[in-house]
Amino acid sequence: MHTASDVTDVKKRPLDAIFQPKSVAVVGASRREEAVGHAVFRNMIMGGYKGIVYPVNPKAESILGVRCYPSVLQIPDEVEMAVLIVPASASVQSFRECIDKGVKAAMVISAGFKEIGGEGARLEKELARMSKEKGIPLVGPNCLGVINTDSGVSMNASFARSMPKAGNIAFISQSGALCTAVLDYAKGVNIGFSKFISMGNKASVTELELLEYLGQDEQTDVILMYLEDLQRPHDLIRACRNISGEAEFLKPILAIKSGRTMQGAKAASSHTGSLAGSDDVYTAVFTQAGILRVNSVNELFDYAKAFSARRYPFGNRTAIVTNAGGPGIMATDACVRYGSEMASLSDKTREELKKVLPPTASVINPVDVIGDAQHERYEAALKLVLKDKHVDGAIVILTPQAMTDIEEIAEVIGKVAQKSKKPVLACFMGIVDVSKGVTVLEKWKVPHYRFPESAARSMAAMARYAAWIGRPRTEIRQFPVDSEKARAVFLNARKESRKALTDFETMSLLSAYGFPTLPIELCKTPEQAAEAAKRIGYPVVMKINSPDILHKIDVGGVKLNLNSAKQVLKESGEMLSRISKKMPKANILGVTVQRMAEKGREVIFGIKRDPQFGPILMFGMGGTYVEVMKDVIFRLAPIRQLGAYNMIRAIKSYKILEGVRGEKPADFARLEECLERLSQLAVECPDIEELDINPLLVYEKGRGVVVLDARVLLTGAE
């Protein structure tokens, strides 16, 4: 990390002027102690800022003994960054003056912008335009500010109550109010920060630019985020994959996303549309980006403590060393619940443990060193457990007994943990009696928790991250497709101003993209249907063919297991007559006759085009009850080979595809290929608003898959 004093010697980055400016003007600094402008200026002075700070206020001669300037333009020296704490109505003019002064970055702390709409939204839009036009990064508006604890900068350009402790964790938040609570919480549990950023309304600088900056920040090892929305999701995925999985110095990214809202009311015309709620899409983005999503601030900092130690397990096998049986069982249950495997200690390890532990001790994981254990017993047990090749990480639990030498135990845990390449998490249960021991653990940088469940959950999260880092790298495959055939399908539908493709067109489109489809013919009359059935071969299925009828079963538009021309002739005539009367305004093009498929396991594929995220893919168990079961997974297109592999294995019903009650495993290779083809279709065909393939029948390994039914809605349709 380069400090304010030596930053001129290196290539400057766009956000350097925000995080390590040589000089800052606080525009709107105030003498009133209750004012935000006073708090920001006071924090700059009292926080030990290493640069020069200039208060700007036309109504004050000095603030806190520092000469005040009536305008930023009247400051005689260079100003690198300006912090604006002025009414929203004056913000544009103030920013314009800062631009004229030559500032390299700005921060607008004031509220009254997009969050209130109307004139506020217009003012924010103008700030964003000016920022982009002049190439001046702007944080905010409506934010708490920015803090950099680097000793070479020591900048608290915020109205937080105090400067946080220095640490290796960076925190990005879209909520200023949450920032103040987080700072207070972190102070109470002795957590430090490298950078602390409140983004506010994100008129200019977003999480993407901040992540890219923090990815190169030498003071930052772990990045935490609180988000309410995302901008440029595909760019975010690329940036985060690099920061947390590909860069020379990897940094885990942990995030809370608020607003787990219900899906929009519009998406009622397809399974994919009705199931793709916004929260599912954010989960997909985080998964593809390698971001670990957490559910609470408490969980966020539990993970942050574990990750900041920068020791990750090579697998998910966890060992527990405890002086109390009950907490050991609680930890075991939690490990299993959160996805860890209880390590099976080797015979050699158990024999060695018997030599150093009393006869009443348990040498089967969890290792119970008994309530009267002193530090020697803990040290011996922990060393042996960590030495075992079947153990990937250890959790050490202590309950304070009358004879427990808590500080000495903490000391040996710290020494053993420091020498081990495997992660060690400590759980000293309680608050008062164990407090001195916790202080010792902090000295050794051993992550510590009050309860076993928190330690187990954090260990499991580290194992997931380590597995993601070590995942096989795959690419996005491109398959040869019949683009002309696909283009003709959309062109014909557009000529007729239709909102959906017909069954026949949908099958033609899927066939063009290499999906296995059954022989199908479009028939305008019952006689044509009977002849088509003879050519295709029995049994056949018959469906009404109309772009206005998407849910055919609901109107009696499907007939199965037709085994003769006579039967097809009769049923098709009755179907056309019945539905024409029932839906006189529907454009009925005839019926489709299609070969009946053998029974198979039913899955659903889907595409939903989102205005913000682009094409979203869906996969899950299919059939009639898909919206009831909701066992589906989402990803943003395009996906890699590994993405298709993981989508299939992420659903709860995956074991059905593996085979139950004597069934053979499904043809996973063909299923994965079809998901990749779906991804290519979604990217290359922007005419698709929504697509459902439901069901796609999956057969056993080597027998492939086949599309049974599908429908497509077009973009721009009312």
Side-chain angles (χ1 to χ4, degrees):
M1 179 68 179
H2 302 283
T3 66
S5 59
D6 64 9
V7 73
T8 54
D9 299 328
V10 298
K11 182 180 178 182
K12 299 197 75 172
R13 293 173 288 164
L15 300 191
D16 280 343
I18 290 173
F19 289 104
Q20 45 194 29
K22 293 180 180 178
S23 53
V24 176
V26 180
V27 182
S30 174
R31 288 178 296 190
R32 292 184 297 111
E33 292 187 2
E34 71 277 13
V36 172
H38 182 87
V40 174
F41 185 70
R42 182 188 65 236
N43 282 344
M44 291 291 292
I45 298 294
M46 304 304 291
Y49 174 55
K50 297 300 191 291
I52 304 170
V53 60
Y54 302 95
V56 176
N57 187 329
K59 298 179 181 179
E61 291 186 4
S62 69
I63 300 175
L64 295 177
V66 180
R67 179 186 175 184
C68 205
Y69 294 88
S71 165
V72 71
L73 294 170
Q74 292 177 260
I75 297 173
D77 305 311
E78 180 186 6
V79 175
E80 279 204 346
M81 182 173 75
V83 181
L84 307 184
I85 316 152
V86 297
S89 57
S91 62
V92 171
Q93 179 58 31
S94 290
F95 188 34
R96 187 172 290 118
E97 290 178 2
C98 292
I99 292 170
D100 293 341
K101 178 62 181 172
V103 301
K104 296 179 176 63
M107 190 186 312
V108 180
I109 287 179
S110 314
F113 292 89
K114 181 174 67 177
E115 72 276 10
I116 66 168
E119 178 64 9
R122 188 196 69 77
L123 291 168
E124 182 172 324
K125 191 174 181 181
E126 180 61 13
L127 288 175
R129 185 196 66 77
M130 294 164 66
S131 170
K132 183 177 181 180
E133 183 181 288
K134 300 297 181 180
I136 298 173
L138 181 146
V139 175
N142 186 28
C143 68
L144 181 79
V146 170
I147 299 172
N148 182 359
T149 63
D150 179 5
S151 60
V153 181
S154 295
M155 183 186 72
N156 185 356
S158 79
F159 59 95
R161 294 182 68 89
S162 61
M163 186 80 161
K165 171 187 171 184
N168 64 345
I169 299 169
F171 186 77
I172 303 170
S173 176
Q174 204 168 335
S175 165
L178 179 67
C179 283
T180 59
V182 164
L183 283 167
D184 189 58
Y185 171 82
K187 187 176 181 180
V189 294
N190 206 25
I191 289 176
F193 296 99
S194 57
K195 306 288 184 293
F196 200 92
I197 309 113
S198 167
M199 294 183 293
N201 293 1
K202 303 192 293 186
S204 168
V205 174
T206 70
E207 61 278 350
L208 179 60
E209 290 83 12
L210 292 169
L211 283 165
E212 288 173 339
Y213 184 89
L214 294 171
Q216 301 177 55
D217 180 34
E218 292 179 14
Q219 263 71 49
T220 298
D221 291 337
V222 182
I223 301 171
L224 312 183
M225 293 194 293
Y226 167 81
L227 297 172
E228 293 169 1
D229 60 48
L230 279 177
Q231 297 176 13
R232 297 159 59 193
H234 289 277
D235 290 337
L236 183 82
I237 289 172
R238 282 190 287 271
C240 291
R241 284 175 71 91
N242 179 60
I243 293 166
S244 64
E246 308 298 337
E248 183 179 352
F249 190 77
L250 300 179
K251 301 180 182 184
I253 303 171
L254 315 173
I256 298 177
K257 164 64 181 68
S258 66
R260 296 196 164 202
T261 57
M262 293 177 64
Q263 63 269 18
K266 179 184 175 184
S269 52
S270 78
H271 289 302
T272 308
S274 62
L275 289 168
S278 63
D279 193 61
D280 300 306
V281 181
Y282 279 106
T283 297
V285 171
F286 291 160
T287 301
Q288 288 171 269
I291 297 172
L292 278 79
R293 186 171 188 178
V294 298
N295 298 309
S296 67
V297 174
N298 187 52
E299 188 178 328
L300 185 71
F301 282 99
D302 277 350
Y303 288 2
K305 282 192 285 189
F307 280 90
S308 64
R310 296 200 61 78
R311 278 187 174 85
Y312 306 126
F314 296 108
N316 71 340
R317 299 168 301 178
T318 302
I320 297 165
V321 176
T322 178
N323 69 344
I329 295 169
M330 291 166 61
T332 300
D333 288 344
C335 283
V336 174
R337 185 164 64 249
Y338 294 121
S340 291
E341 179 185 331
M342 291 302 292
S344 296
L345 300 178
S346 68
D347 292 341
K348 182 180 179 181
T349 299
R350 291 200 297 272
E351 288 303 316
E352 291 297 318
L353 284 168
K354 287 178 182 178
K355 295 176 184 178
V356 297
L357 298 180
T360 52
S362 170
V363 296
I364 300 172
N365 192 22
V367 176
D368 189 347
V369 295
I370 309 302
D372 63 352
Q374 301 289 310
H375 66 275
E376 297 93 348
R377 205 181 291 171
Y378 264 100
E379 181 178 15
L382 183 57
K383 280 182 177 179
L384 288 169
V385 162
L386 288 173
K387 188 178 177 181
D388 194 312
K389 65 180 182 180
H390 300 105
V391 172
D392 298 310
I395 297 172
V396 185
I397 301 172
L398 178 146
T399 59
Q401 315 290 341
M403 69 294 294
T404 310
D405 53 346
I406 296 172
E407 292 176 67
E408 288 83 356
I409 291 171
E411 191 75 29
V412 298
I413 291 172
K415 289 178 180 178
V416 173
Q418 190 180 59
K419 293 178 182 178
S420 175
K421 293 182 179 179
K422 300 176 182 179
V424 176
L425 305 183
C427 172
F428 279 25
M429 297 182 69
I431 298 177
V432 178
D433 290 346
V434 299
S435 59
K436 290 183 178 179
V438 167
T439 301
V440 174
L441 291 171
E442 289 175 348
K443 179 190 75 173
W444 286 102
K445 294 182 169 51
V446 175
H448 59 89
Y449 302 89
R450 291 180 180 175
F451 300 106
E453 293 87 351
S454 298
R457 184 172 57 193
S458 300
M459 184 68 80
M462 285 198 294
R464 289 197 303 275
Y465 176 63
W468 187 78
I469 292 173
R471 74 198 184 283
R473 273 34 174 194
T474 57
E475 299 299 324
I476 298 169
R477 287 201 289 180
Q478 288 292 120
F479 299 93
V481 299
D482 190 341
S483 301
E484 290 301 317
K485 183 178 179 181
R487 193 176 297 113
V489 167
F490 292 116
L491 186 62
N492 185 58
R494 293 298 189 191
K495 280 182 180 178
E496 298 178 9
S497 301
R498 289 194 267 113
K499 67 178 182 180
L501 299 183
T502 65
D503 279 1
F504 190 74
E505 289 171 331
T506 297
M507 291 300 173
S508 294
L509 172 66
L510 294 175
S511 174
Y513 268 80
F515 284 86
T517 57
L518 296 162
I520 185 172
E521 291 189 31
L522 173 60
C523 310
K524 294 184 178 179
T525 66
E527 290 74 19
Q528 288 178 357
E531 289 300 317
K534 291 178 184 177
R535 287 190 294 272
I536 290 171
Y538 302 103
V540 296
V541 58
M542 187 174 64
K543 301 175 187 176
I544 197 72
N545 193 53
S546 169
D548 300 321
I549 303 173
L550 297 177
H551 299 279
K552 301 172 187 64
I553 292 177
D554 295 348
V555 297
V558 178
K559 286 291 180 181
L560 306 175
N561 278 312
L562 301 178
N563 286 290
S564 68
K566 181 179 179 181
Q567 200 177 6
V568 171
L569 187 70
K570 174 179 177 292
E571 293 291 353
S572 59
E574 291 179 358
M575 181 184 289
L576 288 167
S577 175
R578 181 177 65 254
I579 295 176
S580 294
K581 292 177 182 177
K582 190 173 184 178
M583 302 184 70
K585 294 183 179 180
N587 178 19
I588 297 174
L589 305 176
V591 295
T592 55
V593 178
Q594 189 176 31
R595 182 183 295 164
M596 279 282 291
E598 294 180 43
K599 286 186 177 181
R601 282 162 274 193
E602 297 184 351
V603 299
I604 183 171
F605 280 15
I607 297 171
K608 167 68 178 175
R609 195 166 302 278
D610 184 271
Q612 180 184 1
F613 296 99
I616 300 162
L617 309 179
M618 181 182 78
F619 169 76
M621 296 307 292
T624 309
Y625 301 111
V626 63
E627 288 188 44
V628 177
M629 303 304 293
K630 295 182 179 179
D631 186 15
V632 293
I633 193 80
F634 297 88
R635 293 289 183 270
L636 270 62
I639 57 171
R640 293 172 167 79
Q641 286 180 263
L642 185 62
Y645 177 94
N646 287 334
M647 280 186 78
I648 293 167
R649 288 153 183 82
I651 61 172
K652 300 182 186 71
S653 306
Y654 167 65
K655 288 191 178 298
I656 294 175
L657 296 174
E658 279 191 313
V660 293
R661 293 189 176 182
E663 283 185 324
K664 293 181 180 179
D667 197 332
F668 287 109
R670 196 71 176 101
L671 192 55
E672 289 161 24
E673 180 190 316
C674 282
L675 266 176
E676 293 177 75
R677 289 181 180 275
L678 183 76
S679 173
Q680 184 174 341
L681 174 65
V683 171
E684 294 179 353
C685 297
D687 288 281
I688 297 174
E689 176 70 22
E690 295 181 15
L691 176 149
D692 277 348
I693 300 175
N694 185 34
L696 180 90
L697 295 178
V698 188
Y699 300 110
E700 64 188 52
K701 183 179 179 181
R703 295 192 59 210
V705 302
V706 68
V707 176
L708 192 62
D709 195 13
R711 58 176 175 264
V712 174
L713 300 180
L714 302 176
T715 54
E718 293 297 326

